[in-house]
Structures are given as C-alpha cells and as structure tokens.
Amino acid sequence: MSVTEREKLKDKNRIVIKIGSSSLTHAYTGDLNLMKIEKLVRVISDLKGQGKQVVLVSSGAIAAGRQALGHHTRPVTISEKQAFAAVGQARLMMVYQKLFAEYNQIAAQVLLTKNTMVNDSSRYNAQNTFDELLKLGTIPIVNENDTVSTSEIPLVDNFGDNDRLSAIVAALIGADLLILLSDIDGLYSDDPRQNPKAEFIGLVKQITPKLMEMGKSTSGSDVGTGGMAAKLAAARIATDGGSDMVIANGDQVEVIEQIVTGEEKGTLFLAHPNHDFDLMDYINHEY
C-alpha cells in the first residue's frame, strides 16, 4: 500500500510551528490565554519526547504588553506598538520559560529583524545559533524584534507578519515541516466568512499565480496581522525552500499532534525544492 502525502508527515523531524496572536489570546479581551499556551507547551514537549526538533514562532508580544499595561485596544502608533512589544516580549517569554520548565524543557529566545537576514554575516550567525540551540535540546522561541523593527527605520525593515517570518526561519534552518496555526481551517477558494459557498482546499501540490491571487490581505482578528495573502507568500518560501507546510486552525492546539500523525487537518502544501531558490532574493525583492 502506497504511503499518502499525509502519512509522510509522521517522519518529519525538524518542525517549525507558528502560532498567531488570535490563537494565543482570549477573543473578547485580547489577553493572553494561559490555558491555551499551557496546552501548546505540552504538545511541543511531547514532540520533543518523540525525538523531534521544534522551533516555535510565537506572536503575542504586543497583546501581552497590552494586557500588562491595561490597554484593551490595539495600538495605533509605531511608538505604542514598540512600547507594548518591549513589555510584552519579556512577559511572554517568562510565561514560556516557566511552562516549559514544568515539562523539563528549556526555552530559548531568538529575536530577529529583517536586517538580521539581509546581512550575510548576521544571517550566518543566526543559522549557527539555531543549529546549536537545537543540538543542545532547547526549544527556540522566535519573534520579530518589534521594539526596533519598523519600515520607518532605515535598513531595519520588518517582515510584516510572523507567517513570512516562520517560513524564512524554516528555510534558514532546513526544516522539513512548517505548521501555521491561525484562526482559519486552511485554504478556501474564497473567504468563507464572506462566501458560504467557498470550497475548502485540502492539498496544494503547486502554488500557481491563480492561487496567489486568491489570497486576501484581510484578517478576521483584531490582534493579528497576517491574512491569507501572507500565508500563501509563506507557503511559497517554505515549499521552494524544501519544507512541507500546513495551514490549520489553532483554536485547538492538539491539531499539531493530529497533523504530525498524518490526519487530514488543514491545508497541506507539498514541498517542491527549487534549485533556483534564493532566500535573499525573496526577502529583498518579494517581501
């Protein structure tokens, strides 16, 4: 009996998981959902127990800062976002460190800027740092350094969202699977929130220009930044770089276990390593 594309996910060893702000916060208040984060930590720790290497790209710093400072509306100005991120990133890592320690795991913080990736020396150092952290058995927790990342600062442009950032990290470290958890079940032929007749697409073998046009720069959440257009852009980076990618609903983080055991969850984008793939070309010219 032939092995299905889904069953092949069981053999993935180096996995990048991206979880969005909408999946880490309470819907009404925007505060961190600690119960949800604890479940996420438990699932990742279990993957580590299976011998897999896991990198977590986690949103939520600005939301955590909002909660700590008592602001329940999304920040508007750049200085507000950076201030909330400065407070929230420390708070978020404190939560992760404490929860992972309860499962005898060590979390490591990695903050990246676009300039880190554009500069040859810093990109090489970042790659070596990831490799060493994984070799040491830690769980790197990645976020964009929102305190300094802004398109208004010369040479320190931003990635725009953690969907693209997670795909870039997957390509950088040679991951064989990228899982994007968001507030949607996967890829549809149209926005299911607007069109009830939208058809779910469970498998994407090739990312075509027509498929890219289906992405819409919208998000159903007031705490996230990446819509479907960002996820399709991430899929191009990940699959060209040699990683399978799955978009799934992060409402129940146990979906991660279901994905890596071959269940039909979310939309699977198949890797098709591109010999002409140049990560720097993607970053500099496309994103």
Side-chain angles (χ1 to χ4, degrees), residues 78-228:
I78 290 174
S79 58
E80 268 189 320
K81 293 177 181 177
Q82 292 174 322
F84 286 0
V87 174
Q89 187 61 41
R91 182 185 180 96
L92 189 62
M93 275 308 301
M94 180 179 68
V95 170
Y96 277 127
Q97 289 274 17
K98 182 176 181 180
L99 291 175
F100 272 114
E102 291 180 5
Y103 291 92
N104 201 31
Q105 301 293 337
I106 298 175
Q109 178 176 252
V110 180
L111 294 176
L112 298 175
T113 65
K114 187 172 180 180
N115 194 46
T116 306
M117 304 302 296
V118 171
N119 181 281
D120 290 340
S121 177
S122 59
R123 184 178 67 255
Y124 177 75
N125 288 334
Q127 186 178 38
N128 286 342
T129 298
F130 274 114
D131 285 340
E132 191 64 28
L133 286 171
L134 292 171
K135 188 187 302 180
L136 290 170
T138 72
I139 299 167
I141 299 177
V142 184
N143 198 358
E144 184 164 7
N145 192 349
D146 293 318
T147 305
V148 298
S149 289
T150 166
S151 57
E152 294 190 2
I153 300 177
L155 299 180
V156 191
D157 203 350
N158 61 1
F159 294 106
D161 56 79
N162 276 352
D163 294 321
R164 291 180 180 88
L165 174 59
S166 63
I168 289 169
V169 169
L172 179 71
I173 69 172
D176 43 19
L177 176 61
L178 168 62
I179 299 174
L180 295 188
L181 297 182
S182 188
D183 56 356
I184 52 174
D185 295 328
L187 179 65
Y188 286 83
S189 59
D190 197 4
D191 188 343
R193 299 185 184 98
Q194 306 295 330
N195 180 4
K197 294 184 179 179
E199 297 180 2
F200 182 75
I201 302 171
L203 178 65
V204 176
K205 294 183 178 181
Q206 185 176 7
I207 300 174
T208 62
K210 181 179 179 181
L211 191 67
M212 295 297 294
E213 290 174 7
M214 288 164 49
K216 292 183 172 63
S217 299
T218 57
S219 176
S221 167
D222 75 335
V223 291
T225 56
M228 185 51 69

Side-chain angles (χ1 to χ4, degrees), residues 171 236-238 240-242 273-280 282:
R236 283 189 61 190
I237 298 170
D240 275 2
N274 182 351
H275 295 298
D276 297 323
F277 174 73
D278 186 338
L279 183 59
M280 290 310 95
Y282 271 77

Side-chain angles (χ1 to χ4, degrees), residues 10-25:
K10 297 177 182 178
D11 299 325
K12 302 301 182 181
N13 182 61
R14 182 169 282 194
I15 302 170
V16 175
I17 298 170
K18 176 265 175 179
I19 188 160
S21 298
S22 61
S23 299
L24 286 176
T25 55

